[in-house]
């Protein structure tokens, strides 16, 4: 297990290690070489020349709005499909789940045409809308499976006490489904945080660019600043690691929900 754990964490160590190397040190015979001395100037270049801070705040805004919208809509859909009986509910659920079969970048050209027609290019919504739409199917699938394990007697008791649907949803269902919400939030955070192709296509103005654009700042026609690029990639990886570490327990609860009866 220690060997497997090391193999899993090695790419991350390799990333941080190479972010402290000179650009000329990248071409060698060794897979892993310690920086001597560490080039902390790569991180300085990332902040000064890579526009890391403004792009970082854009990424935070787009990612958190997308994750929040996805979680909210997924809970509403999961509750409607698991607790409410209405005609064609199974059909509509299957139609939504079909979204898991469609790659997000397969809609790049149609979305570009539509956003261009309605004036959404070079805006935050040009990224928030597709990110939310493509994360909803898998998120709803996870929340639905978790919600199926919740006893209906809890909600029946709340109805007898006079609680409305919205009160049941936000006072009872939402607290119980926190593990599932944490699971989908971390997964969706990583998907939105690291996405580049749509961001590169839909947003060309600096004020709307996200953090992966910082890497492009150090790519030249004849040469590239590899140290600064790896520094930017290290900065991009840190929030995802922090999110996972914070919600590890909730993710484990969400993944194990329903696996044991009794």
């Amino acid at each position: 297990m220690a060997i497997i754990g090391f193999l899993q964490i090695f790419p991350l160590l390799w990333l941080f290690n190479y972010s402290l190397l000179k650009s000329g040190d990248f071409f060698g015979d060794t897979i892993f070489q310690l920086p001597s001395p560490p080039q902390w100037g790569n991180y300085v270049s990332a902040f000064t020349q890579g526009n890391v801070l403004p792009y970082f705040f854009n990424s935070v805004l787009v990612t958190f709005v997308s994750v929040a919208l996805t979680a909210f809509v997924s809970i509403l859909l999961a509750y409607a499909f698991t607790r409410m009986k209405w005609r064609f509910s199974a059909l509509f659920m299957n139609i939504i789940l079909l979204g898991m079969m469609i790659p997000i970048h397969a809609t790049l050209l149609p979305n570009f045409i539509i956003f261009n027609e309605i004036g959404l290019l070079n805006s935050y919504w040009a990224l928030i809308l597709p990110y939310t739409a493509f994360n909803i199917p898998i998120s709803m699938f996870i929340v639905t499976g978790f919600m199926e394990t919740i006893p209906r007697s809890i909600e029946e008791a709340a109805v007898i006490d006079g609680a409305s649907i919205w009160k049941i949803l936000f006072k009872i269902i939402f607290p119980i489904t926190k593990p599932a919400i944490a699971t989908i939030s971390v997964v969706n955070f990583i998907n939105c945080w690291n996405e580049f192709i749509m961001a590169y296509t839909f947003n060309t103005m600096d004020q709307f660019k996200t953090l992966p654009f910082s890497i492009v700042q150090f790519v030249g026609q004849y040469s590239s600043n590899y140290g600064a690029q790896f520094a930017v990639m290290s900065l991009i990886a840190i929030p995802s690691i922090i999110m996972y570490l914070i919600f590890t327990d909730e993710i484990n609860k969400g993944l194990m929900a329903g696996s044991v009866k009794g």
Side-chain angles (χ1 to χ4, degrees):
M1 292 300 295
I3 294 175
I4 295 175
F6 175 77
L7 292 176
Q8 293 290 331
I9 202 173
F10 177 79
L12 190 62
L13 298 175
W14 181 83
L15 174 65
F16 286 112
N17 176 72
Y18 269 50
S19 69
L20 298 175
L21 293 178
K22 297 179 181 178
S23 294
D25 295 337
F26 283 77
F27 307 98
D29 298 331
T30 58
I31 299 177
F32 192 89
Q33 55 178 321
L34 295 176
S36 180
Q39 302 297 313
W40 296 105
N42 292 334
Y43 286 89
V44 176
S45 299
F47 279 95
T48 57
Q49 303 176 26
N51 296 327
V52 165
L53 286 179
Y55 293 172
F56 174 82
F57 287 116
N58 289 340
S59 288
V60 169
L61 175 62
V62 170
T63 301
F64 276 91
V65 172
S66 301
V67 170
L69 281 177
T70 302
F72 180 72
V73 176
S74 298
I75 293 173
L76 297 183
L77 289 173
Y79 188 82
F81 287 128
T82 58
R83 293 299 192 264
M84 298 179 178
K85 301 300 180 182
W86 46 285
R87 185 178 297 180
F88 305 124
S89 61
L91 175 62
F92 281 100
M93 182 176 180
N94 290 329
I95 291 175
I96 294 175
L97 292 178
L98 284 175
M100 292 190 294
M101 301 174 59
I102 304 174
I104 184 173
H105 298 117
T107 63
L108 192 66
L109 181 57
N111 281 338
F112 181 86
I113 296 174
I114 294 173
F115 291 163
N116 185 47
E117 290 292 332
I118 62 179
L120 276 183
L121 293 180
N122 287 313
S123 69
Y124 296 120
W125 289 107
L127 300 180
I128 293 173
L129 292 178
Y131 289 172
T132 302
F134 279 90
N135 286 327
I136 283 177
I138 183 62
S139 300
M140 187 199 70
F141 179 75
I142 295 174
V143 177
T144 299
F146 190 93
M147 203 171 290
E148 290 284 2
T149 65
I150 301 175
R152 296 176 183 267
S153 57
I154 299 177
E155 300 162 60
E156 292 171 354
V159 171
I160 294 174
D161 291 337
S164 63
I165 292 179
W166 291 104
K167 192 171 184 178
I168 293 173
L169 190 62
F170 290 105
K171 295 291 185 179
I172 299 175
I173 299 298
F174 182 80
I176 296 177
T177 56
K178 278 184 178 180
I181 296 172
T183 301
I184 64 174
S185 295
V186 172
V187 173
N188 295 337
F189 176 89
I190 295 174
N191 291 337
C192 298
W193 187 262
N194 295 325
E195 203 282 325
F196 176 71
I197 297 178
M198 278 200 165
Y200 187 78
T201 304
F202 297 154
N203 289 336
T204 57
M205 298 175 61
D206 277 344
Q207 65 186 91
F208 299 111
K209 289 181 178 179
T210 52
L211 194 53
F213 276 92
S214 297
I215 302 175
V216 183
Q217 304 294 325
F218 300 101
V219 178
Q221 183 177 1
Y222 300 105
S223 63
S224 300
N225 188 343
Y226 297 109
Q229 288 180 355
F230 274 80
V232 172
M233 286 187 282
S234 299
L235 295 173
I236 294 174
I238 289 174
S240 300
I241 298 172
I242 294 175
M243 284 287 293
Y244 184 82
L245 292 176
I246 292 175
F247 294 104
T248 296
D249 293 338
E250 297 295 332
I251 292 173
N252 291 334
K253 292 178 184 177
L255 293 177
M256 294 299 294
S259 60
V260 179
K261 292 184 177 181

